[in-house]
Amino acid sequence: MSETEGFEGQGFDALRDMAPERLAEAPVLREQRLDAQGRAYATGKRKNAIARVWVKPGKGAITINGRTSEVYFARPVLRMMINQPFRVSDREGQYDVYVTVTGSGLSGQAGAVRHGIAKALSDYEPSLRPIMKHNGFLTRDSRVVERKKYGKAKARRSFQFSKR
């Protein structure tokens, strides 16, 4: 005998009353993921840069490779870029961030740090995930430099052609 037997012709109201205990508790989509020290960890990537990011509650200090963000990223545009996840989620000055980043140049490293901060924040506060996703901070920018081909000056540029 199946669960729906005896409910034919009674409509959706009868089906709704079948399992009220399953409807009572809303499923938790994501859980907070922390390490033993109470920090959230994430890896951010952009171009050839890889950033390992740890986020914990604090006063808003951002340390990158042992230096402050103002010293490491001297250009204001790069500092603005790494602060975007905090600004969008209204969490400026609430978290301390520790980052080790390698590879690529400063622009790629700033993108990797932003990606890592957004992922770590969404691990620390799962309710921030929709905001980060909507602004595109959780998506890894997969554009990398195209390799040089043989017979070409660069990846696509040809040598100058001359008939004589």
Side-chain angles (χ1 to χ4, degrees):
M1 194 165 176
S2 72
E3 284 186 29
T4 57
E5 238 176 73
F7 290 104
E8 291 89 13
Q10 294 182 15
F12 289 111
D13 294 331
L15 290 174
R16 193 177 306 126
D17 297 332
M18 279 177 56
E21 66 278 351
R22 281 187 279 164
L23 298 175
E25 69 226 18
V28 177
L29 299 176
R30 300 251 175 205
E31 291 182 2
Q32 187 182 42
R33 295 191 314 185
L34 303 178
D35 63 4
Q37 286 84 29
R39 304 173 300 182
Y41 170 78
T43 304
K45 294 183 180 182
R46 170 77 171 95
K47 293 186 177 179
N48 284 327
I50 299 171
R52 300 185 307 152
V53 179
W54 288 269
V55 171
K56 65 177 182 177
K59 297 181 179 176
I62 300 176
T63 307
I64 303 166
N65 290 349
R67 293 182 262 176
T68 63
S69 62
E70 290 79 22
V71 174
Y72 195 83
F73 293 121
R75 283 188 275 168
V77 174
L78 300 179
R79 286 198 305 269
M80 178 208 65
M81 201 169 150
I82 64 172
N83 283 319
Q84 282 177 337
F86 295 115
R87 189 168 295 120
V88 166
S89 62
D90 294 327
R91 300 292 190 272
E92 287 182 286
Q94 296 182 20
Y95 290 97
D96 286 345
V97 181
Y98 180 76
V99 182
T100 58
V101 62
T102 59
S104 195
L106 286 177
S107 177
Q109 287 185 354
V113 170
R114 179 179 74 175
H115 185 223
I117 288 174
K119 284 172 65 175
L121 269 180
S122 64
D123 281 349
Y124 198 88
E125 281 189 64
S127 60
L128 295 179
R129 184 173 168 79
I131 298 166
M132 298 295 175
K133 190 132 178 89
H134 176 73
N135 287 289
F137 298 146
L138 297 180
T139 305
R140 191 242 198 259
D141 190 351
S142 61
R143 296 176 294 167
V144 292
V145 177
E146 190 175 349
R147 78 171 191 86
K148 183 194 176 303
K149 279 74 167 193
Y150 57 87
K152 298 280 188 177
K154 296 184 350 183
R156 297 187 181 197
R157 175 155 179 12
S158 298
F159 296 108
Q160 183 174 343
F161 177 76
S162 173
K163 199 156 191 176
R164 298 183 226 321

